[in-house]
């Protein structure tokens, strides 16, 4: 471990939302923290606010009163940059502007010792570019915290082309000692989180654009089936559409208009209208006095069907198979006393039907499959079985309160309703989505995993780093690559392949690393 010693001085430049959070965390870890801001009142406010937080923590007995006083006393206001000359680490959290950041670091180089580490909290500017004009560019590194800093564990430690690996490691180890979860990343557009998270917003916006359901319903599916803390629309409303749209645009531009990152005209219109989300009182939802939360589309109660049974799937060699996800769903049915008889073999061709070799539940004539990225309508046609229903991915079929279904355009309403009744009998609230390819959770998770796999493939981060980043930086319930492991890499590749076929867009191209893992029969995590 090459961490900064606890007694060493950390300087924080910029005392806004991020700078004051960083100062709080560093002072808690025992450092003398010098805060500087071009607005001295921002420094005074930050020190007062942090002191108040420490006192509150002491009141709640999360730290002793003596520790709270000592940590407060370690916060010092710097009157000018010369006051930070003794810093071992300087973390910059000023405006997001390349020229201003470059000029600050150039000034700092004239003040601090040669072995002082310079760190930038930029969320979107190339760390390589910020370092480019320095006398010693090897000592500049990205130290990207997440808002609110004291609560969010992730720190992306970003190496630019010139960054010395020992400097990155010291910052990594120091962040770990501060109680954070650091991950190494290469300076590339969006780093890890702001890149890998793009599909969370983008697929939500596309689902809305294709009228899969309204925002409140899609949000509920992502939360209650997907296990995400917030659905994409409420999250974009919280972030602010101006901010979210501009991050999407900047990643899109930086990757030379890769269709994976194409911004949404729906979001552009919100920005055009000034409907920026919570902060402006209106985004996808209305806020403020008298605002009512829109209803989530949920199917009316249907009777539990007389019988249902399960047929296992078939692998390429014709052997009978099941999948962990289907098994988990059947377990849920059993736990709720819902009869699902086992038919070891596939539904035959008794009615001249072609076979679909995936595991299926059969219920009053309907064949029910886990979505594989095809629409139910396409699948009905492929298998010559009109009454086809597909269900969405859930984080945990044993516990999910909601499930999303879609049925083929050819499906008889009575057949669909009996499938609804079956899922309701197992305790699910059922949401019917329009028949979009890949439904909501499956499509989103497949695209998150695809993006994470590409980031790993391109050396931006490790598989562990990608998963840690998404769990600790944006609270995902599972790392996307660990999630792909549990769905089965083969199924994720099939979903993406079918999405690509459905849309004919390069956006859904499969990451070479996913293909390679599949070919090797491997997983991302042992
Ligand atoms: P903020 O606007 O709350 O605070 C910035 C502070 O920097 C202000 O107090 C301002 O007076 C001061 N400042 C501006 N130019 C300065 C200079 N040349 N020298 C000294 N002080 C200067 O901004 P916030 O949200 O704290 O963001 C700061 C940085 O952190 C930006 O680079 C941003 O991209 C990055 N960041 C922001 C996140 C967020 O969620 N707000 C998340 C991660 C990174």
């Amino acid at each position: 471990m090459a961490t900064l010693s606890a007694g060493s001085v950390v300087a924080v430049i910029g005392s806004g939302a991020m700078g004051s959070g960083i100062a709080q965390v560093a002072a808690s870890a025992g450092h003398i923290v010098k805060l500087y801001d071009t607005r001295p009142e921002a420094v005074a406010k930050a020190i007062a606010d942090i002191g108040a937080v420490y006192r509150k923590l002491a009141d709640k007995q999360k730290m002793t009163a003596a520790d709270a006083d000592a940590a407060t006393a370690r916060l010092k206001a710097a009157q000018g940059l010369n006051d930070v000359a003794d810093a071992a680490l300087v973390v910059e959290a000023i405006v997001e502007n390349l020229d201003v950041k470059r000029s600050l670091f150039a000034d700092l180089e004239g003040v601090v010792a040669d072995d002082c580490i310079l760190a930038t909290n930029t969320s979107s500017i190339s760390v390589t570019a910020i370092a480019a004009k320095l006398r010693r560019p090897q000592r500049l590194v990205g130290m990207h915290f997440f808002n609110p800093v004291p609560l969010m564990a992730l720190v992306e430690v970003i190496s630019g082309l010139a960054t010395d690996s020992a400097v990155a490691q010291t910052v990594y180890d120091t962040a770990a000692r501060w109680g954070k979860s650091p991950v190494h990343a290469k300076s590339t557009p969006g780093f890890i989180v702001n890149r890998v998270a793009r599909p969370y917003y983008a697929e939500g916006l596309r689902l809305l654009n294709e009228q899969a359901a309204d925002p409140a319903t899609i949000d509920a599916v992502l939360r209650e089936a997907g296990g995400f803390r917030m659905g994409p629309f409420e999250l974009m409303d919280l972030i602010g559409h101006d901010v979210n749209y501009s991050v999407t645009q900047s990643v899109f531009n930086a990757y030379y208009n890769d269709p994976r990152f194409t911004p949404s005209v729906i979001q552009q219109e919100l920005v055009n209208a000034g409907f920026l989300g919570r902060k402006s009182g209106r985004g996808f939802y209305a806020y403020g006095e008298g605002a009512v939360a829109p209803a989530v589309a949920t199917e009316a109660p249907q009777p539990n069907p007389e019988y249902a049974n399960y047929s296992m799937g078939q692998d390429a060699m014709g052997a009978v198979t099941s999948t962990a996800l289907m098994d988990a769903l059947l377990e849920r049915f059993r736990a709720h006393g819902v009869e699902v008889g086992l038919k070891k073999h596939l539904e035959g061709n008794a009615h001249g039907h072609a076979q679909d070799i995936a595991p299926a539940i059969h219920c009053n004539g309907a064949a029910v499959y886990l979505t594989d990225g095809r629409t139910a309508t396409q699948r009905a046609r492929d298998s010559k079985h009109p009454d086809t229903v597909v269900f969405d991915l859930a984080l945990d079929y044993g516990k999910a309160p909601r499930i999303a279904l879609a049925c083929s355009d050819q499906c008889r309403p009575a057949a669909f309703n009996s499938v609804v009744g079956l899922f309701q009998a197992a305790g699910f609230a059922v949401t019917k989505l329009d028949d979009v390819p890949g439904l909501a959770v499956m499509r989103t998770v497949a695209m998150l995993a695809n993006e994470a796999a590409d980031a790993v493939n391109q050396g931006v981060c490790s598989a562990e780093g990608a998963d840690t980043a998404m769990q600790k930086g944006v609270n995902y319930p599972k790392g996307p690559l660990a999630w792909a492991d549990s769905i089965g890499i083969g199924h994720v590749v099939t979903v993406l392949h079918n999405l690509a076929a459905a849309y004919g867009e390069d956006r859904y191209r499969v990451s070479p690393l996913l293909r390679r893992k599949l070919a090797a029969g491997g997983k991302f995590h042992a």
Side-chain angles (χ1 to χ4, degrees), residues 13 38 92 94-107 125 130:
I13 314 296
T38 40
E92 163 277 309
I94 64 167
V95 288
E96 190 74 343
N97 176 298
L98 175 61
D99 291 334
V100 181
K101 286 189 195 288
R102 274 184 169 165
S103 130
L104 169 71
F105 282 117
D107 291 346
I125 303 174
I130 295 173

Side-chain angles (χ1 to χ4, degrees), residues 13-20 36-39 42 81 92-97 100-101 104 120-125 144-147:
I13 314 296
S15 306
M18 297 302 288
S20 62
Y36 175 73
D37 197 293
T38 40
R39 296 180 304 121
L81 282 187
E92 163 277 309
I94 64 167
V95 288
E96 190 74 343
N97 176 298
V100 181
K101 286 189 195 288
L104 169 71
T120 171
N121 183 47
T122 182
S123 54
S124 65
I125 303 174
H144 184 207
F145 290 85
F146 288 73
N147 194 12

Side-chain angles (χ1 to χ4, degrees), residues 481-512:
L481 297 174
W483 212 336
D485 281 349
S486 63
I487 295 167
I489 307 260
H491 195 79
V492 173
V493 169
T494 301
V495 168
L496 292 165
H497 175 82
N498 286 330
L499 285 168
Y503 290 106
E505 283 179 64
D506 194 39
R507 172 188 189 85
Y508 295 101
R509 69 186 184 272
V510 181
S511 166

Side-chain angles (χ1 to χ4, degrees), residues 193-479:
V193 168
N194 278 337
R195 168 188 181 166
V196 176
R198 300 303 354 124
Y200 193 66
Y201 315 109
E203 293 309 314
L205 287 161
R206 287 188 59 130
L207 288 166
L208 181 64
N209 201 25
E210 292 171 29
Q211 307 180 72
D214 57 85
T217 299
I218 298 172
D219 275 350
V221 169
L222 268 299
R223 264 194 330 264
E224 298 174 26
F228 289 91
R229 198 169 287 186
M230 294 179 90
F233 302 104
E234 52 192 343
L235 183 54
M236 285 184 274
D237 269 8
L238 179 68
I239 293 168
H241 291 285
D242 49 344
V243 173
N244 190 260
Y245 182 63
S246 107
V247 175
T248 303
Q249 269 190 316
S250 96
V251 173
F252 179 60
N253 294 338
Y255 280 109
Y256 307 107
N257 297 6
D258 186 331
R260 283 243 183 95
F261 304 114
T262 308
S264 163
V265 292
I266 293 183
Q267 193 169 39
Q268 185 185 46
E269 279 291 89
L270 288 173
V271 175
N272 288 343
F275 298 164
L276 303 181
R278 274 179 188 274
K279 63 185 173 190
S280 71
R282 178 168 174 185
F284 286 110
Y285 300 99
Y287 300 91
E289 230 162 277
V292 235
V296 172
T298 302
E299 291 297 291
Q302 299 293 336
N304 185 0
E306 296 284 288
Y307 79 94
N309 54 45
Y310 171 60
S311 66
M312 296 176 124
Q314 220 174 60
D315 67 14
M317 309 300 287
V320 172
T321 62
S322 185
T323 64
L325 297 182
M326 262 296 194
D327 291 348
L329 180 61
L330 292 170
E331 189 54 44
R332 164 83 169 249
F333 286 134
R334 264 178 232 120
H336 282 77
V338 181
E339 279 294 319
V340 181
L342 179 66
K343 281 211 289 185
K344 278 230 161 31
H345 299 291
L346 295 168
E347 185 103 306
N349 285 8
H351 311 292
H353 296 160
Q355 286 184 349
D356 188 317
I357 59 166
I361 293 166
H362 304 271
C363 178
N364 287 355
V368 188
Y369 305 96
L370 172 65
T371 175
D372 68 355
R374 279 179 291 172
T375 59
T377 302
Q378 183 63 46
R379 201 158 183 165
R381 181 184 152 90
D382 293 347
S383 64
K384 301 197 175 66
H385 189 103
D387 295 334
T388 293
V389 176
V390 291
F391 64 92
D392 201 359
L393 179 66
L395 172 67
D396 178 352
Y397 286 107
K399 297 200 187 107
R402 183 174 296 275
I403 191 87
L405 306 178
C407 68
S408 59
D409 293 350
Q410 308 88 317
C411 186
R412 288 171 301 124
F416 179 69
N417 283 339
S418 48
V419 178
V420 171
L422 181 72
F423 278 88
Q424 287 173 336
F428 288 102
V430 175
T431 285
K432 183 184 184 196
L433 297 178
D434 192 35
D435 188 21
V436 289
L439 298 180
V441 183
M442 181 65 90
R443 168 171 167 163
T444 301
V445 171
M447 285 297 277
L448 291 170
N450 202 37
E451 200 54 52
D454 253 8
V456 174
N457 199 42
Q458 294 159 10
V460 175
C461 56
S462 65
E464 292 71 24
D467 277 356
T468 301
M470 304 319 288
Q471 288 180 281
K472 304 289 184 179
V474 271
N475 290 320
Y476 286 4
K478 207 167 183 166

